[in-house]
Amino acid sequence: MCDRLFFVFELIFLCIFAFLAGFIDSIVGGGGLIQLPALLIFLPNTAIPLVFGTNKLSSIAGTSAAAIHYSQQVQIDWTIVLISTTSAFIFSFIGASTISIINPALMRFFVLLLLVTVAIYTWFKKDFGSQHIVKVQGVKQSVYAALIGSSLGFYDGFFGPGTGSFLIFAFIGLLGFDFLRASASAKVVNFSTNLAATIYFASTGNIIYNIALPMAACNVFGAIIGAKLAIIKGSGFVRILFIAVVNLLIIKLAYDIFLTK
């Protein structure tokens, strides 16, 4: 009886964190900052692949809900997004396969520098992502889309933190999207990378379904509310939250690098 009550208690808190993760992730990415640490805290004796698999199933539910909602309200350039999505799906598998070859910890300092650069650039360039201005067209646009998908798909499969935020930054910086359209497009691409990971974890039996499914429902709820708020508030609101989440990512990575062993 006590074990059952303890499980219900854990699940309630995990669902609250899943809701918050879905909310934040649907707007600017970074939901993993909330949901994954919560799983690690509440499931301390659980094998890491099971924790990661449970996290991915919950995450993909919210990502798909946000992507669907955005697609109904925001004008998405589907040609560009589908090119990025396809390449991201393929390269996320490749990235995942390199984990056993290269230590992901080696990426932490490099990613930290990138995040600091992104934060500084976005903060000082006030008009960054404020308007939707197409920078490239034709074949060049398709090449850029494929590069965004393949590089960040590989990164998500190999390491992961900040993928959604990097996608938003890339869509704005390389293709000229505004923050709202970049966020909407990033959700579609991020769905494909999450799908690749979820297929892998499901095929290897590394998902705790009686935890992942309730969390997924709460993640969806948070994602829908977050996407609606982003559409109502517009690119200015997304920009502010983007900067906040990138700074949290910087703090988290800096802590991992310099204060933990």
Side-chain angles (χ1 to χ4, degrees):
M1 183 65 179
C2 289
D3 288 343
R4 179 64 181 172
L5 286 174
F6 185 69
F7 173 76
V8 171
F9 172 80
E10 283 186 332
L11 188 58
I12 289 171
F13 274 93
L14 284 172
C15 285
I16 291 171
F17 283 112
F19 170 83
L20 293 172
F23 177 82
I24 294 296
D25 199 70
S26 67
I27 304 173
V28 291
L33 278 173
I34 300 169
Q35 186 167 272
L36 187 56
L39 281 163
L40 291 169
I41 290 169
F42 283 96
L43 303 174
N45 300 316
T46 304
I48 292 298
L50 277 169
V51 173
F52 275 61
T54 302
N55 176 64
K56 281 298 181 183
L57 180 57
S58 175
S59 297
I60 196 174
T63 302
S64 60
I68 291 169
H69 190 77
Y70 275 125
S71 68
Q72 294 171 340
Q73 303 293 328
V74 178
Q75 187 177 358
I76 295 175
D77 189 330
W78 285 105
T79 301
I80 295 302
V81 170
L82 290 177
I83 291 172
S84 293
T85 298
T86 303
S87 56
F89 183 86
I90 295 169
F91 277 84
S92 64
F93 268 115
I94 298 173
S97 69
T98 65
I99 291 176
S100 60
I101 303 171
I102 305 171
N103 185 358
L106 297 175
M107 286 288 291
R108 286 180 177 174
F109 190 73
F110 176 68
V111 172
L112 178 62
L113 289 177
L114 281 180
L115 285 169
V116 170
T117 302
V118 167
I120 293 172
Y121 184 86
T122 307
W123 176 258
F124 285 101
K125 191 171 176 57
K126 302 297 183 182
D127 62 342
F128 183 70
S130 61
Q131 296 181 20
H132 186 76
I133 303 172
V134 178
K135 291 186 176 182
V136 291
Q137 294 180 331
V139 175
K140 193 173 183 179
Q141 190 180 56
S142 298
V143 170
Y144 278 16
L147 285 173
I148 291 171
S150 56
S151 58
L152 290 173
F154 178 86
Y155 170 75
D156 195 32
F158 172 68
F159 190 53
T163 300
S165 300
F166 282 135
L167 280 168
I168 291 171
F169 188 81
F171 277 123
I172 296 171
L174 294 178
L175 298 176
F177 288 13
D178 60 36
F179 263 105
L180 185 58
R181 294 193 198 191
S183 183
S185 302
K187 284 302 101 191
V188 181
V189 178
N190 219 177
F191 170 78
S192 71
T193 60
N194 282 340
L195 179 60
T198 302
I199 290 172
Y200 170 78
F201 285 120
S203 65
T204 55
N206 282 308
I207 296 176
I208 308 172
Y209 288 98
N210 62 342
I211 294 177
L213 292 177
M215 287 182 68
C218 294
N219 198 280
V220 166
F221 188 40
I224 292 172
I225 293 176
K228 286 183 177 180
L229 186 63
I231 292 167
I232 292 170
K233 295 291 187 178
S235 289
F237 169 75
V238 177
R239 178 183 182 273
I240 293 170
L241 195 57
F242 175 83
I243 293 172
V245 169
V246 168
N247 281 319
L248 285 174
L249 279 164
I250 290 169
I251 293 169
K252 173 65 167 61
L253 274 176
Y255 176 83
D256 290 344
I257 293 169
F258 299 113
L259 297 177
T260 61
K261 293 182 179 180

